[in-house]
Amino acid sequence: MPLTLYTFSGAPRGWRVHLGLVFKGLSADVKYLSASDQDHRKPGFLAMNPRAQIPVLEADQDVLRDSVAILAWLDRQYPERPLFGITASEAAESWQIVMDCCGYSRDGNHALLSRVFPGPDEVVDPNTPEGSEFGGAAALVHAECHYLEGILSDGRRYLGGECPGAADAVAYPELRLVQRGAETKSARMSALGFDGHLSRYPHLAAWKGRLNADAGVLQTMPPHWAI
């Protein structure tokens, strides 16, 4: 069955699906839309998703929307290499981590990185209103890093166990975006307690390193980062 994924370069929700495909050993034609050209609001795309949101996965006659719904569909359609575990306990844990990351990690990252990426690489005075906002956003991200660090502290290789799954597909883009922030705005992110290696979180750093070194995961990196 031919699969086509529509997304934006670097958009975490579309990135989740791309990773899910990789973890499943599936290939897809990935079409990167232009946000600046408003491709997601053009008639062709609106015919697939009237809400004008990415990602969208085309699979023969099926048009699938919402990143987590797509991951769940992939698990039913292609049961090999399950993304949500095998047992009921594994499924429950996978879904819990997925939903926590979809909410708390995504919200924290948005609050922090929407402030970090557009501005200059300068340390913000924490005693100013702007500095207070930066600090509050950074605290949200640190809280989620602590949460994921705790999950990985039992020696498991991935959030889903010995093999990467849906929890890893959802969490990885968020942590990789934090790394990107530390790489491109090192002074600002370092002052907030983040470096490119996530040194405060050794288990999380090792997990991220394993995924960073995976050839399939490397293929999912945002194309615009290479420019």
Side-chain angles (χ1 to χ4, degrees):
M1 176 188 307
L3 302 173
T4 303
L5 172 64
Y6 298 84
T7 186
F8 296 135
S9 177
R13 292 177 176 86
W15 198 347
R16 298 168 184 170
V17 175
H18 201 175
L19 285 166
L21 291 163
V22 166
F23 297 160
K24 282 280 191 184
L26 301 170
S27 60
D29 181 14
V30 182
K31 295 186 180 297
Y32 290 101
L33 306 181
S34 170
S36 60
D37 291 338
Q38 296 284 289
D39 285 349
H40 58 304
R41 298 191 181 278
K42 293 179 180 178
F45 187 80
L46 290 175
M48 293 187 292
N49 188 355
R51 295 186 184 276
Q53 295 177 340
I54 56 91
V56 164
L57 184 72
E58 278 190 311
D60 283 348
Q61 301 303 312
D62 292 328
V63 178
L64 309 164
R65 306 187 296 269
D66 183 87
S67 61
V68 178
I70 294 171
L71 292 175
W73 178 86
L74 287 172
D75 239 15
R76 289 293 187 94
Q77 185 69 28
Y78 304 96
E80 299 81 8
R81 302 188 189 182
L83 297 175
F84 290 92
I86 298 174
T87 69
S89 294
E90 290 171 349
E93 182 180 38
S94 293
W95 275 105
Q96 184 64 67
I97 299 170
V98 163
M99 300 316 295
D100 280 345
C101 288
C102 284
Y104 299 111
S105 293
R106 180 84 288 271
D107 289 350
N109 260 19
H110 177 73
L112 176 62
L113 298 178
S114 64
R115 292 177 168 87
V116 167
F117 283 131
D121 188 18
E122 299 174 352
V123 177
V124 180
D125 184 348
N127 297 312
T128 64
E130 182 186 20
S132 178
E133 291 179 356
F134 270 88
L140 294 175
V141 178
H142 277 299
E144 296 314 301
C145 287
H146 278 294
Y147 165 66
L148 296 175
E149 178 78 0
I151 293 171
L152 292 163
S153 65
D154 66 359
R156 68 180 73 185
R157 289 179 55 79
Y158 298 100
L159 293 169
E162 287 303 304
C163 299
D168 305 276
V170 173
Y172 178 79
E174 304 301 339
L175 273 296
R176 191 59 184 80
L177 286 168
V178 171
Q179 179 182 342
R180 179 68 174 175
E183 292 167 347
T184 59
K185 300 295 174 70
S186 58
R188 180 164 284 189
M189 288 291 280
S190 179
L192 295 169
F194 298 101
D195 60 33
H197 304 291
L198 293 178
S199 299
R200 290 189 179 187
Y201 309 101
H203 297 293
L204 195 56
W207 164 84
K208 180 172 62 66
R210 281 190 286 273
L211 289 169
N212 281 350
D214 185 287
V217 172
L218 288 176
Q219 295 175 2
T220 73
M221 291 297 166
H224 76 275
W225 287 6
I227 298 174

